[in-house]
Amino acid sequence: MSTQTEPESETEIEESEAAATETESAVESPGDRRRREKGERAVEEEAKRKEAEETLDEEDTVQIKVFRYDPEVEGKQEPRFDDFHVPFFKGMTVLDALIYARDTYDSSLTFRHSCRQAVCGSDALFINGSQRLACQTQIADLDSETVRVEPLPHQDVVKDLVVDMEHFYDQMDSVEPYFDADELPDGDETQRQTPENREKVKMSTRCIWCGACMSSCNIAADDNQYLGPAAINMAYRFAMDEREGEIRKEDRIKIIEQEHGVWRCQTQFSCTEVCPKDIPLTEHIQELKREAVKSNLKFW
Amino acid sequence: MYEHDVIVVGAGGAGLRAAIAAHEEGADVALVTKLHPVRSHTGAAEGGINAALHEEDSWELHAYDTMKGSDYLADAPAVDTFAQDAPEEVINLEHWGMPFSREEDGTVSQRPFGGLSFARTTYAGAETGHHMLHTMYQQVVKRGIEVYDEWYVTNLAVTDHDDPEDRQCHGVVAYEIATGEIEGFRANDGVILATGGPGQAFDHTTNAIANTGDGAAMAYRAGVPMEDMEMIQFHPTTLPSTGVLISEGVRGEGGILYNDEGERLMFEYGYANNAGELASRDVVARAELTEVNNGRGIEDEYVDLDMRHLGEERIVDRLENILHLAEDFEGVDGLEEPMPVKPGQHYAMGGVECDENGETCIDGLYAAGETACVSLHGANRLGGNALPELLVFGARAGHHAAGKDMKDAEIQTGYSAKSEDGDVEPPVEPGAVGASGEDAAADGAVVDADEVLEHTIERERERVEALMEGDGLNHAEVRSEVQKSMTATVNVFREEEGIKEALRDIRRARERYEDVSVSDPSRTYNTDLIHTIETRNVLDVAEAIALGALARREFRGAHWRAEYQERRDEDWIKHTMLAWNDGTPELYYKPVLLESQWKEYEPKERSY
């Protein structure tokens, strides 16, 4: 395939040009010079890459349109989209295409990824207008000539497809996200839990903290303090676990019925639709609303 | 400069358990991870956690199974300690809220697993690792343990005494991925390496892209020997296109392997007449590839794993995650059709030499989990023994580093434990090439803690600058060549010429790595830089694996050699050790301990 030979020729051209520019600049600090030269080279490489890609056979490739932004690199400070033509193979995922583009065309293309199997939750992205895990999204299933890849909406972009997850983590932390039973059996005994109760919390324990739900939620977009679907689901996971006990459950209900808690949810189901682990988030939020009502009635 | 009593590098199962343990002892402990803890690869473990919980089971039986599974290359003190501690660790996890699968009476379910004489594998669906990882991270949050996430540890701050056994570890140097800041982390009481396995030395692997053997490579270069690196487990059931793991739980529940002729291969060709599909992993992996090599593979590549007969209810109840994986990553509906599977790199039994308290030969430096080699798994790890290992030895390392009074280790570490010289003849000179290998010039000059840290920080800054300055090759080319070479030659079936070819390829890759540079000029989230540094680690661990494979001239456990078709107990019940030796690796051997204070093991023929 023609793509195999292109990167090499790119490197050669790049090297001779770099040698030429190095002799010209002596007054700048070495760091500035290096950064400037790298910036210039990046622009040139970009032009060559485009030229190289155009020679690829259209039939065998898929075009991905990727959001680019870097606060400190000239030419990337204004957000833009770069097109990459990537050779297609059966079973190719959006993550495969991104990795190919990065390793072959532009090593500065930046995105989080690790496990490749939808369990680490690193690569939730906005793909063709919807929150999805890049590793779990088959390009063929998108049924679209170009694949548009953007960072998760409603989160600050750090660089390219990487968003700042701090706010998401803060919301998760705010619901006391840890098992904390009222009482435990003696050291060498396990707690009992009915299979039914385990089944009840099962879906809620599948959360991989990818942030897709939070990004899809209109309410979370407008109300920065809203706990959001993932954190509420986390609260659900513990509140519904019979091993924790009634006292702890009451505490948990108090957390989720606060001003920016469950009552903010307007049951639009957007979170449920995008969840890559099929967690019925909206149902869990609704159930906690009912629990909150029940709990309040008890004290009247 | 940051300062803590104990620094844990890596926040997967072993790292989290170590941090909790150190905290239990009252230490000020911090986790430093290049990911966020919940992104760690422990989360991908599926099958389960072995522990002798049942009254009819016993730690002795668990230990016996583990030793047999190891093909008598494990050290008895490690095996016995492990089997004794595992039940308590599982109970801890349950008390921390782990959502284990349950029996009708509310007790924790246990299922059969390959190589086990008792159904002792506890599990949470087919996503046990995910739940274990999250359960422990929750406990880290509860305890307020400090986490430095997306900080990539690039080197250890170790004194440069001539003899590694005189050296001391005072901390680490890390690079903050978001900002490009390079900082020292001083550890007053100890550094625990829990960075996971070296799967990225291969290209068909169940491991995450982040599993680049960082901890092992750093410890190796700092002077800690690598142990039994040739012992790589190839999991028999991975999806052919991606290497995604299909849990042994499928076979544990009754899944059957078929060849192209529809024969139940494990029995039809006598690979394991008793245990069948539930034979040990190395046995099943070889059986599958033998079928493929004999023309009975499907599409000349894989075999079928069929679980349809288990029925939808049981599958959804216990293996639901498998249905999703098969659907998402191979386009197969496990309820309607068999799933294609083939062996893939899965786990490293070898690693950083340490004792049963996690201590390496360098004072203040520990290792736990897949990074470490205690040695618990010897030549082959049993399914369901990795997760309890993280718990047992993560906890022990954490406790020990935090100063808990523990009994002295029986296992000896360091070059002084050597019993025999090496006798390997690599086709090319292994070890450091050029400037990137200069990070361990031991001249005894830097021994003061602050000085060591300052010196290491400076060296790492220079290293990063040099990588950023250059204008050379993309590391991805170098990495991918090594991965392909390793998968082609140091795989399930190994031949002398193939292993030598891998060593030549690695040597060439080392030379090319000298010309590698980072083309992204940014200090913000520069993954180009991170991956370039990782690739250096991949080279070191790949070379160690290949050297061990060349040295071991026998067939034991996961290590099969075309030229040596038998286990040779008289010569080879010994650990393959590799010392970095400041860039000129030396291979040697140390004895396997088949006797602990509790038990003595007699090597027997391993049949299932």
Side-chain angles (χ1 to χ4, degrees):
Chain A
M1 214 177 301
S2 58
T3 48
Q4 303 293 315
T5 56
E6 277 144 21
E8 273 180 30
S9 58
E10 253 181 37
T11 322
E12 279 168 23
I13 300 164
E14 199 189 304
E15 273 166 6
S16 59
E17 275 166 1
T21 33
E22 255 166 36
T23 51
E24 288 165 18
S25 46
V27 276
E28 299 162 276
S29 80
D32 287 345
R33 175 175 53 81
R34 193 191 63 239
R35 272 185 277 278
R36 181 178 56 74
E37 286 172 4
K38 288 229 163 166
E40 288 167 6
R41 275 201 303 278
V43 174
E44 284 158 17
E45 273 173 40
E46 168 70 13
K48 287 195 197 68
R49 182 174 59 73
K50 286 214 168 103
E51 201 184 296
E53 280 178 43
E54 275 161 20
T55 60
L56 276 177
D57 186 352
E58 292 270 317
E59 290 295 300
D60 304 335
T61 67
V62 57
Q63 185 186 33
I64 55 171
K65 228 176 174 36
V66 186
F67 179 91
R68 305 302 301 275
Y69 165 77
D70 189 318
E72 59 167 305
V73 172
E74 213 174 319
K76 279 181 81 181
Q77 285 157 338
E78 281 300 311
R80 61 163 202 249
F81 280 88
D82 280 354
D83 291 342
F84 297 94
H85 293 265
V86 173
F88 178 77
F89 62 85
K90 188 172 167 286
M92 185 178 219
T93 64
V94 173
L95 179 63
D96 292 330
L98 287 171
I99 290 175
Y100 185 91
R102 180 194 65 201
D103 289 352
T104 317
Y105 302 132
D106 181 354
S107 56
S108 73
L109 178 60
T110 305
F111 47 95
R112 289 191 181 98
H113 62 299
S114 188
C115 75
R116 309 163 298 142
Q117 57 187 81
V119 73
C120 75
S122 304
D123 65 346
L125 297 170
F126 199 55
I127 298 167
N128 280 4
S130 182
Q131 285 82 1
R132 305 165 193 263
L133 296 182
C135 63
Q136 204 185 24
T137 305
Q138 294 276 324
I139 286 178
D141 291 348
L142 290 172
D143 210 16
S144 148
E145 279 181 18
T146 53
V147 178
R148 192 179 165 95
V149 189
E150 298 165 77
L152 286 181
H154 305 134
Q155 271 149 295
D156 290 337
V157 177
V158 176
K159 175 176 169 182
D160 292 352
L161 301 174
V162 174
V163 294
D164 186 348
M165 294 290 287
E166 276 319 303
H167 177 61
F168 178 83
Y169 295 147
D170 286 346
Q171 300 306 82
M172 294 301 259
D173 279 357
S174 71
V175 298
E176 300 178 7
Y178 40 79
F179 186 80
D180 189 19
D182 292 341
E183 52 186 326
L184 285 172
D186 288 338
D188 58 351
E189 294 251 330
T190 57
Q191 304 163 93
R192 298 288 173 108
Q193 181 182 27
T194 62
E196 293 73 28
N197 185 250
R198 197 240 167 208
E199 193 63 27
K200 178 153 187 75
V201 298
K202 184 174 88 179
M203 293 308 287
S204 66
T205 61
R206 291 210 172 141
C207 177
I208 56 172
W209 296 45
C210 69
C213 56
M214 187 84 145
S215 166
S216 78
C217 176
N218 283 331
I219 316 299
D222 289 340
D223 175 3
N224 209 37
Q225 287 172 272
Y226 174 46
L227 291 174
I232 296 175
N233 175 68
M234 176 69 91
Y236 175 96
R237 179 253 170 279
F238 293 111
M240 295 301 170
D241 191 318
E242 66 185 10
R243 291 175 295 172
E244 269 204 341
E246 287 303 313
I247 301 169
R248 196 65 178 93
K249 183 171 177 179
E250 288 298 332
D251 294 344
R252 294 200 179 277
I253 299 297
K254 283 196 195 93
I255 294 171
I256 53 92
E257 66 169 350
Q258 54 160 298
E259 189 186 346
H260 300 279
V262 287
W263 300 108
R264 286 280 157 140
C265 171
Q266 296 177 2
T267 55
Q268 296 170 348
F269 287 92
S270 64
C271 54
T272 304
E273 275 164 28
V274 300
C275 177
K277 303 312 269 187
D278 302 322
I279 302 170
L281 294 159
T282 313
E283 275 177 43
H284 289 171
I285 299 172
Q286 290 302 97
E287 200 174 336
L288 282 179
K289 288 180 184 170
R290 290 194 293 275
E291 287 293 321
V293 171
K294 270 197 317 209
S295 154
N296 287 330
L297 282 176
K298 214 159 57 182
F299 291 108
W300 279 348
Chain B
M1 178 93 67
Y2 298 94
E3 185 173 343
H4 295 276
D5 295 339
V6 177
I7 301 283
V8 182
V9 184
L16 294 171
R17 185 65 190 90
I20 294 168
H23 188 266
E24 282 166 352
E25 287 304 304
D28 164 22
V29 54
L31 285 150
V32 186
T33 166
K34 66 179 177 180
L35 308 170
H36 178 281
V38 301
R39 316 286 174 219
S40 306
H41 203 55
T42 299
E46 293 167 6
I49 312 171
N50 297 337
L53 289 171
H54 201 278
E55 56 193 25
E56 287 163 35
D57 196 6
S58 70
W59 75 259
E60 287 90 348
L61 278 174
H62 187 188
Y64 174 81
D65 292 343
T66 301
M67 182 58 91
K68 177 182 171 191
S70 84
D71 221 353
Y72 304 93
L73 198 70
D75 287 321
V79 171
D80 292 355
T81 302
F82 162 76
Q84 289 177 64
D85 285 7
E88 184 190 333
E89 286 296 333
V90 168
I91 291 164
N92 271 339
L93 261 191
E94 202 284 329
H95 286 183
W96 294 337
M98 170 98 175
F100 282 109
S101 293
R102 301 278 169 166
E103 294 300 306
E104 277 308 315
D105 67 356
T107 55
V108 172
S109 296
Q110 294 187 281
R111 65 180 164 205
F113 240 50
L116 297 185
S117 57
F118 194 89
R120 70 169 72 89
T121 309
T122 63
Y123 59 98
E127 47 204 22
T128 313
H130 163 80
H131 293 303
M132 189 171 120
L133 179 71
H134 281 256
T135 298
M136 287 204 287
Y137 177 61
Q138 289 155 11
Q139 292 301 309
V140 161
V141 172
K142 182 178 180 183
R143 288 160 170 75
I145 293 170
E146 183 116 36
V147 179
Y148 298 86
D149 64 321
E150 298 192 336
W151 276 86
Y152 180 45
V153 172
T154 60
N155 222 334
L156 309 176
V158 171
T159 59
D160 64 354
H161 293 92
D162 286 343
D163 182 350
E165 289 175 66
D166 293 335
R167 292 178 193 166
Q168 197 176 354
C169 181
H170 291 293
V172 302
V173 174
Y175 175 99
E176 187 177 35
I177 300 174
T179 63
E181 186 196 343
I182 293 172
E183 261 304 348
F185 287 73
R186 185 171 169 165
N188 297 320
D189 296 337
V191 169
I192 301 172
L193 297 171
T195 60
Q200 286 298 315
F202 294 82
D203 74 352
H204 188 83
T205 173
T206 64
N207 282 198
I209 293 169
N211 292 151
T212 48
D214 298 332
M218 289 189 292
Y220 179 40
R221 294 195 297 263
V224 183
M226 296 289 101
E227 180 172 353
D228 296 334
M229 288 298 279
E230 69 274 22
M231 296 304 178
I232 296 287
Q233 177 165 85
F234 297 88
H235 197 290
T237 55
T238 73
L239 295 175
S241 59
T242 53
V244 165
L245 175 69
I246 296 301
S247 170
E248 185 161 320
V250 174
R251 283 169 290 133
E253 296 292 347
I256 295 174
L257 291 167
Y258 293 106
N259 64 15
D260 193 37
E261 282 152 32
E263 296 163 317
R264 189 171 181 181
L265 58 103
M266 294 306 296
F267 292 104
E268 196 69 36
Y269 296 93
Y271 299 111
N273 285 326
N274 296 316
E277 282 81 5
L278 276 180
S280 186
R281 287 178 177 175
D282 55 327
V283 173
V284 182
R286 277 190 298 271
E288 291 173 6
L289 279 194
T290 305
E291 290 299 292
V292 172
N293 292 344
N294 289 341
R296 294 189 296 270
I298 301 166
E299 294 182 17
D300 284 329
E301 190 192 2
Y302 58 86
V303 298
D304 271 342
L305 175 60
D306 198 343
M307 62 175 182
R308 290 173 295 181
H309 57 285
L310 302 178
E312 183 168 349
E313 193 185 337
R314 183 149 159 214
I315 292 171
V316 170
D317 182 40
R318 301 183 185 191
L319 299 163
E320 187 188 342
N321 186 43
I322 299 305
L323 292 175
H324 297 308
L325 293 174
E327 175 69 42
D328 292 343
F329 301 104
E330 202 67 48
V332 168
D333 180 352
L335 291 175
E336 298 290 331
E337 56 201 317
M339 300 174 285
V341 291
K342 73 172 195 183
Q345 193 281 346
H346 183 54
Y347 186 87
M349 275 74 74
V352 177
E353 183 204 38
C354 66
D355 64 28
E356 59 272 40
N357 295 329
E359 272 199 297
T360 71
C361 67
I362 292 181
D363 191 27
L365 185 61
Y366 296 77
E370 194 176 339
T371 306
C373 180
V374 186
S375 155
L376 170 63
H377 308 300
N380 174 62
R381 174 175 71 77
L382 293 182
N385 261 359
L387 295 182
E389 177 194 20
L390 306 182
L391 300 170
V392 168
F393 293 107
R396 295 181 74 88
H399 283 140
H400 197 279
K404 183 175 179 177
D405 198 15
M406 294 166 79
K407 88 178 167 53
D408 286 344
E410 291 181 60
I411 294 168
Q412 301 298 307
T413 60
Y415 191 74
S416 59
K418 167 177 144 177
S419 58
E420 205 180 316
D421 283 331
D423 50 358
V424 64
E425 285 174 21
V428 285
E429 209 50 52
V433 172
S436 70
E438 280 171 13
D439 52 3
D443 55 10
V446 186
V447 293
D448 170 73
D450 287 332
E451 217 183 319
V452 169
L453 272 154
E454 288 304 331
H455 181 73
T456 315
I457 294 168
E458 204 39 52
R459 216 165 50 196
E460 290 309 291
R461 289 203 173 120
E462 284 165 15
R463 179 180 175 195
V464 166
E465 285 308 311
L467 287 172
M468 298 286 286
E469 290 262 345
D471 198 6
L473 280 174
N474 181 348
H475 82 95
E477 283 182 48
V478 178
R479 188 190 288 201
S480 128
E481 279 165 19
V482 168
Q483 291 172 330
K484 288 198 182 101
S485 176
M486 290 293 283
T487 292
T489 58
V490 195
N491 210 317
V492 176
F493 294 126
R494 298 167 171 181
E495 295 176 26
E496 181 167 326
E497 214 15 72
I499 302 168
K500 286 185 168 168
E501 196 52 48
L503 283 164
R504 282 190 281 265
D505 289 343
I506 293 164
R507 169 73 189 193
R508 196 159 44 242
R510 281 191 183 281
E511 284 162 3
R512 295 186 77 204
Y513 188 84
E514 294 304 301
D515 297 326
V516 152
S517 68
V518 176
S519 59
D520 186 348
S522 183
R523 297 284 165 182
T524 304
Y525 221 94
N526 192 333
T527 52
D528 191 5
L529 173 67
I530 301 301
H531 297 152
T532 302
I533 297 173
E534 286 173 345
T535 293
R536 167 74 204 286
N537 295 334
V538 168
L539 295 176
D540 287 338
V541 293
E543 184 179 82
I545 293 165
L547 279 173
L550 184 62
R552 188 171 285 278
R553 293 184 300 282
E554 67 161 346
F555 163 29
R556 183 182 299 274
H559 177 68
W560 183 98
R561 282 286 301 265
E563 304 84 3
Y564 310 96
Q565 287 288 298
E566 283 181 352
R567 193 176 86 185
R568 297 164 63 197
D569 286 351
E570 65 285 6
D571 293 327
W572 287 98
I573 298 194
K574 60 189 179 192
H575 295 294
T576 319
M577 308 300 298
L578 193 64
W580 176 245
N581 215 3
D582 297 335
T584 50
E586 180 187 342
L587 192 127
Y588 65 94
Y589 301 100
K590 80 166 184 180
V592 170
L593 306 178
L594 290 178
E595 190 181 341
S596 74
Q597 60 179 288
W598 301 279
K599 283 172 84 176
E600 191 177 345
Y601 297 86
E602 184 66 35
K604 292 187 185 130
E605 196 199 342
R606 192 161 145 265
S607 65
Y608 288 99

